[in-house]
Amino acid sequence: MSDYELPRAHAETPPLTARLRSTPEDFRVEEILGYAADGSGEHALLWVEKREANTDWVARELAKFAGVPPLNVGYAGLKDRHAVTRQAFTVQLAGKPDPDWSTFPHAEVKVLAATRHSRKLKRGALRGNRFVLVLREVQGDRARAEEVLAEISARGVPNYFGEQRFGREGGNLAQARAMFAGRRMDRAKRSILLSAARSHIFNAVLAARVERGAWDAPLDGEIWSLAGSRSWFGPEPFTDALAERLARGDIHPSGPLWGQGDPPSSGEVAELERELAAANTDLADGLVAARMDQERRALRLLPQNLTWRWLADDALELAFELPAGAYATVVMRELAATL
């Protein structure tokens, strides 16, 4: 099973077909940092809107405009290029005055606000992202679509890694296998390929649990992921207290981000995880050789503040928030096959 053919939780096939990203404005993303600028310090914290622009390119252009090295620019996460996105950047000015950000010379990028801050933004240092998406040329069963949206709101979706993680036509996996077989890669590419290998094994485990109906319910030997953090605990007996925490979204069943050592799970969960790692032994062994550590990721993704409205008979707008590291496309795939 490829990462493009993963089983869905709410319907074997989605109730709608539609076109996503007809224009960049139909895919809007806004970072939720979870904190405000300090108001002082040697970094400028910028709130930037970009349209059809790559995050790395924006960072390099900000450095050039401010007259500082590219390493002086920080950001929390990569954002979709074919979209309108708002995200934060920091630019370390080290005694230099703030340039006039309003004159930044690229029409597709606007610096909306600038405040002084004491620290460089680090990758992953955000609470989540807010999405507003518009599906157009919608066809299919609208009544069933409403039911699926209600199910997503109540139960969430499987927390797959999205297709973006695997590169064009899944090419990152082929490159990861080549790297593990001895091909040399530069440091930045190596990190991307290691992530793709871990993501593929995780998706395989999650797919198997979706097929068992256990992506949002415990199996014997479960490891629990704490919502809103990278922490986990278990295995331990499934009690009424754990059931209550699971029901309110405080904890989620988890799957492996493969690495050296045995997974912390036991029983049925450990058996499944080892079986699927063995089915991808070149990737699993490569991750161990690269000295990646065993980590965990939640199997369940609960979109927050999910709302939807029909803009026309063939246009549906959805808005929701996701934690950092989650993919809007895995929410959408439960609802619509995109053209």
Side-chain angles (χ1 to χ4, degrees), residues 81-327:
R81 177 175 182 173
H82 302 295
V84 176
T85 69
R86 290 185 173 187
Q87 70 178 114
F89 292 81
T90 53
V91 180
Q92 186 175 15
L93 295 171
K96 296 168 64 75
D98 282 77
D100 183 355
W101 298 108
S102 68
T103 63
F104 188 68
H106 296 289
E108 64 271 42
V109 181
K110 298 177 183 177
V111 178
L112 303 176
T115 314
R116 282 286 178 153
H117 193 55
S118 61
R119 298 181 303 279
K120 181 179 181 178
L121 264 178
K122 294 184 178 180
R123 296 292 288 271
L126 73 162
R127 195 176 76 205
N129 294 286
R130 182 177 297 109
F131 297 86
V132 180
L133 313 180
V134 179
L135 295 173
R136 300 195 186 275
E137 301 176 31
V138 177
Q139 296 184 15
D141 188 340
R142 281 183 53 160
R144 178 60 185 143
E146 294 276 352
E147 293 172 355
V148 168
L149 284 165
E151 290 171 12
I152 292 171
S153 184
R155 290 182 59 194
V157 299
N159 191 25
Y160 291 121
F161 286 97
E163 294 175 4
Q164 305 96 304
R165 178 57 66 99
F166 304 103
R168 187 183 299 275
E169 298 182 354
N172 286 351
L173 278 181
Q175 291 188 64
R177 290 188 161 100
M179 178 178 70
F180 294 149
R183 183 182 298 173
R184 295 181 64 84
M185 300 285 179
D186 65 46
R187 184 175 179 179
K189 187 64 174 178
R190 175 181 171 82
S191 176
I192 291 169
L193 301 183
L194 290 172
S195 294
R198 293 180 108 187
S199 301
H200 180 75
I201 295 173
F202 175 89
N203 277 4
V205 171
L206 178 50
R209 293 194 55 164
V210 170
E211 290 176 337
R212 296 184 186 192
W215 60 277
D216 62 347
L219 296 176
D220 175 55
E222 193 68 68
I223 298 296
W224 296 101
S225 175
L226 284 167
S229 83
R230 297 183 178 180
S231 300
W232 49 267
F233 66 93
E236 60 185 64
F238 189 58
T239 62
D240 289 345
L242 287 179
E244 190 276 331
R245 293 179 69 186
L246 176 64
R248 62 183 164 88
D250 181 48
I251 59 174
H252 309 287
S254 73
L257 298 175
W258 204 260
Q260 56 191 347
D262 292 326
S265 52
S266 65
E268 186 179 3
V269 174
E271 182 180 349
L272 175 65
E273 292 175 356
R274 290 194 180 97
E275 174 188 331
L276 288 164
N280 295 277
T281 186
D282 55 344
L283 300 180
D285 291 349
L287 290 165
V288 171
R291 298 186 178 180
M292 304 294 287
D293 292 326
Q294 288 278 349
E295 297 179 272
R296 306 295 292 185
R297 173 180 168 93
L299 297 179
R300 177 176 65 168
L301 172 60
L302 291 174
Q304 299 297 305
N305 301 316
L306 172 61
T307 61
W308 61 91
R309 62 183 179 131
W310 291 91
L311 304 178
D313 286 343
D314 64 348
L316 175 62
E317 179 188 86
L318 300 101
F320 51 87
E321 298 170 10
L322 297 179
Y327 292 79

